[in-house]
Amino acid sequence: MNTYGGIMVKTSRKNTWLRLIMVSALLLSMFVTIPKAANAEDELNLRVKGAILIDADSGKILYQKNADKSLGIASMSKMMTEYILLDAINEGKITWDQKYKVSDYAYKISQNRALSNVPLRADGEYTIRELYEAMAIYSANGATIGIAETIAGSETEFVNMMNKKAKKMGLKNYTFVNSTGLNNAQLDGMEPAGTGKTAENKMPAKSVAKLAYHLLKDHPDVLKTSSITKKTFREGTDDAIKMSNWNFMLPGLVFEYEGVDGLKTGTTDFAGYCFTGTATRNGTRLIAVVLDAVDANGEGTYKSRFDATRALFDYGFNQFTTEEIVPANYTFKGQKSIPVIDGKEDKVNIATKEAISIMVKTSDRDLYKPKLVLDKKELDAPVKKGAVVGHVEIEKTEGKDYGFIDGEVNNAEVVTTATVEKSGWISRAFKGIGNFFSDLWNKIF
């Protein structure tokens, strides 16, 4: 016999063991907390101050961590210099064969081998193509200044162009103080006018990704140069110098990753180890940005930025697919048509003009649903087939969706699927009379 709450209860050995198990389970539940389902940021466990991963085709954001905080970007700034240069080439403002005569500023910076540089001769002349390759492959800072001076006359004016282009692109929280990404303290007192003595370029990971997104969209040929692993500057001359790409994820290099062909590394004491990488597999291209990456010991290294980028690429390529969310000619239940005023038909059917496909996490495929947004609730006859009456928005019913790097994308119009002619005046008159008596009847009865 045992006593529970003052009541005598007859027990068996079996019952005693059951009670012990139940009590143990109760006590365990008091001290053990079941972990919540891990989100992407917890899953990847990136040791970075900021990061983002996007689909390079649509701009769909697949992952982000502290992506809106403005941080140092170092030589990734050169992507903006590349963009402005390639714009100028396309517009015919300068040419690849155009010669640059070295300024004192570019010469002095290019002689500093503690920085990434190809030494330029004080009395030398170099083609824009030579300078561009030195910048894109070897991150040469003197060469970058030469490009800025060629385009704008001075680096000061070029910085103004960088900031204007950033604003036009819709970048947020950016600061450009020079063309290279160096700290102004490294420019030997020759920093652009109006910038701080120790100022440095800054942007959030999201803005860096947006810059890379537009660079690849508008100037895809940049990959022909960013994918070059090794090249000799001024080969066959006394000034020949071997240039090795700082992007060690390229094929054949120490941290190679399948499909990587760009884009730009960056390192300063302020910014830490940064990288904007892009890779393609099976027709899908991703863009990854990592800012101030460190290893397990909290130390920034070349490897730490590539390890973080590898984790992002693995996540994107392994867990995401492009899925058709809405097929072409899709009709919405409860809204298959809209009214037509004064038409031979009282209504006209509507449907999506094109299919909508977006990159989504495979496990979340069924969480994305189409939402109809009508611009017009009715149409006046005559109505042409294919007239736009609204669009489709895709909503995620559960969990977080990061949206697109360029804002919301509604890439499927809703259109009429048939033509409705305007009815004749006699028909309209009889219909008007019928409507009058119908309304009168309803008011009376």
Side-chain angles (χ1 to χ4, degrees):
M1 301 288 286
N2 290 319
T3 303
Y4 294 94
I7 301 174
M8 300 296 292
V9 180
K10 184 177 181 179
T11 63
S12 66
R13 182 173 294 180
K14 181 179 178 180
N15 288 338
T16 300
W17 278 109
L18 284 171
R19 288 187 176 86
L20 285 172
I21 291 170
M22 291 173 66
V23 170
S24 298
L26 179 62
L27 290 171
L28 185 63
S29 68
M30 294 171 64
F31 295 101
V32 177
T33 301
I34 298 173
K36 295 179 180 178
N39 58 32
E41 294 183 14
D42 297 329
E43 283 180 47
L44 300 187
N45 193 29
L46 296 184
R47 300 183 184 93
V48 298
K49 284 189 178 177
I52 194 168
L53 177 70
I54 69 170
D55 170 31
D57 179 47
S58 67
K60 184 75 177 68
I61 301 172
L62 312 181
Y63 168 93
Q64 62 182 27
K65 176 179 181 179
N66 200 28
D68 294 309
K69 182 175 176 59
S70 192
L71 300 165
I73 58 172
S75 281
M76 295 193 303
S77 309
K78 293 182 174 79
M79 290 191 294
M80 179 60 86
T81 303
E82 290 172 346
Y83 190 98
I84 294 173
L85 167 63
L86 296 172
D87 264 0
I89 293 288
N90 286 352
E91 293 166 8
K93 294 179 178 178
I94 61 174
T95 66
W96 288 119
D97 295 329
Q98 185 172 330
K99 295 291 182 68
Y100 165 70
K101 189 172 182 180
V102 180
S103 68
D104 288 343
Y105 174 33
Y107 169 73
K108 289 177 182 177
I109 297 302
S110 76
Q111 302 307 303
N112 186 349
R113 297 310 304 276
L115 306 175
S116 184
N117 267 313
V118 291
L120 304 176
R121 287 182 178 268
D123 59 351
E125 287 188 344
Y126 300 84
T127 67
I128 293 301
R129 186 176 295 280
E130 286 177 312
L131 299 178
Y132 170 65
E133 290 178 344
M135 173 178 68
I137 299 169
Y138 200 49
S139 200
N141 292 292
T144 303
I145 292 168
I147 289 171
E149 291 177 336
T150 301
I151 294 173
S154 70
E155 190 179 29
T156 297
E157 287 304 313
F158 189 79
V159 168
N160 290 334
M161 292 179 68
M162 295 173 83
N163 283 306
K164 287 179 182 177
K165 182 63 72 174
K167 183 178 181 179
K168 186 176 180 180
M169 246 181 226
L171 306 188
K172 303 293 184 183
N173 301 322
Y174 57 86
T175 300
F176 285 112
V177 296
N178 58 52
S179 63
T180 60
L182 293 172
N183 189 289
N184 273 357
Q186 298 171 301
L187 300 180
D188 295 336
M190 296 177 285
E191 69 276 355
T195 63
K197 295 288 185 183
T198 59
E200 195 162 322
N201 295 343
K202 296 169 63 178
M203 269 201 291
K206 187 175 288 185
S207 288
V208 178
K210 192 169 185 177
L211 170 58
Y213 172 75
H214 283 285
L215 179 60
L216 294 184
K217 285 282 188 185
D218 299 338
H219 302 292
D221 283 353
V222 70
L223 294 172
K224 293 180 180 178
T225 308
S226 67
S227 60
I228 296 172
T229 55
K230 297 179 186 297
K231 185 159 186 160
T232 300
F233 181 72
R234 306 226 96 182
E235 188 170 15
T237 72
D238 293 338
D239 296 334
I241 180 173
K242 292 183 178 179
M243 302 185 297
S244 295
N245 203 311
W246 295 105
N247 177 4
F248 296 162
M249 297 187 84
L250 289 171
L253 300 187
V254 62
F255 300 119
E256 70 175 296
Y257 187 93
E258 180 188 347
V260 167
D261 52 5
L263 198 54
K264 194 71 196 73
T265 58
T267 313
T268 63
D269 291 341
F270 172 71
Y273 286 82
C274 307
F275 183 44
T276 299
T278 184
T280 181
R281 284 188 186 177
N282 301 319
T284 295
R285 177 175 291 281
L286 301 178
I287 296 171
V289 177
V290 297
L291 302 180
D292 200 355
V294 298
D295 60 19
N297 298 316
E299 296 294 326
T301 65
Y302 287 103
K303 185 175 185 296
S304 62
R305 63 181 164 198
F306 299 129
D307 283 346
T309 303
R310 178 181 296 274
L312 284 170
F313 282 152
D314 283 346
Y315 178 67
F317 286 125
N318 295 338
Q319 298 199 37
F320 287 79
T321 55
T322 299
E323 299 282 351
E324 184 179 82
I325 307 300
V326 179
N329 302 316
Y330 177 84
T331 58
F332 290 82
K333 291 181 179 179
Q335 190 70 66
K336 295 184 178 182
S337 63
I338 59 174
V340 177
I341 299 173
D342 292 337
K344 289 185 176 180
E345 307 291 339
D346 291 334
K347 58 187 178 181
V348 62
N349 289 341
I350 59 173
T352 55
K353 183 178 180 181
E354 298 172 344
I356 301 180
S357 295
I358 60 174
M359 182 169 276
V360 298
K361 199 170 184 180
T362 307
S363 59
D364 290 348
R365 166 61 181 84
D366 293 334
L367 299 180
Y368 287 87
K369 305 296 181 184
K371 175 186 175 183
L372 173 63
V373 179
L374 286 178
D375 300 328
K376 300 176 181 179
K377 294 183 179 180
E378 58 186 18
L379 297 173
D380 291 318
V383 175
K384 290 184 178 181
K385 181 180 179 179
V388 178
V389 296
H391 63 270
V392 177
E393 294 179 356
I394 303 300
E395 296 183 326
K396 191 176 183 184
T397 56
E398 292 179 25
K400 174 69 175 176
D401 182 83
Y402 297 119
F404 294 80
I405 200 70
D406 249 348
E408 287 299 321
V409 174
N410 298 313
N411 56 355
E413 294 176 334
V414 176
V415 299
T416 56
T417 62
T419 295
V420 178
E421 300 292 343
K422 191 169 185 176
S423 60
W425 70 270
I426 295 176
S427 295
R428 294 199 303 274
F430 277 111
K431 185 179 290 186
I433 293 169
N435 289 338
F436 170 78
F437 283 108
S438 176
D439 290 341
L440 183 61
W441 181 270
N442 289 333
K443 288 178 181 178
I444 295 173
F445 296 103

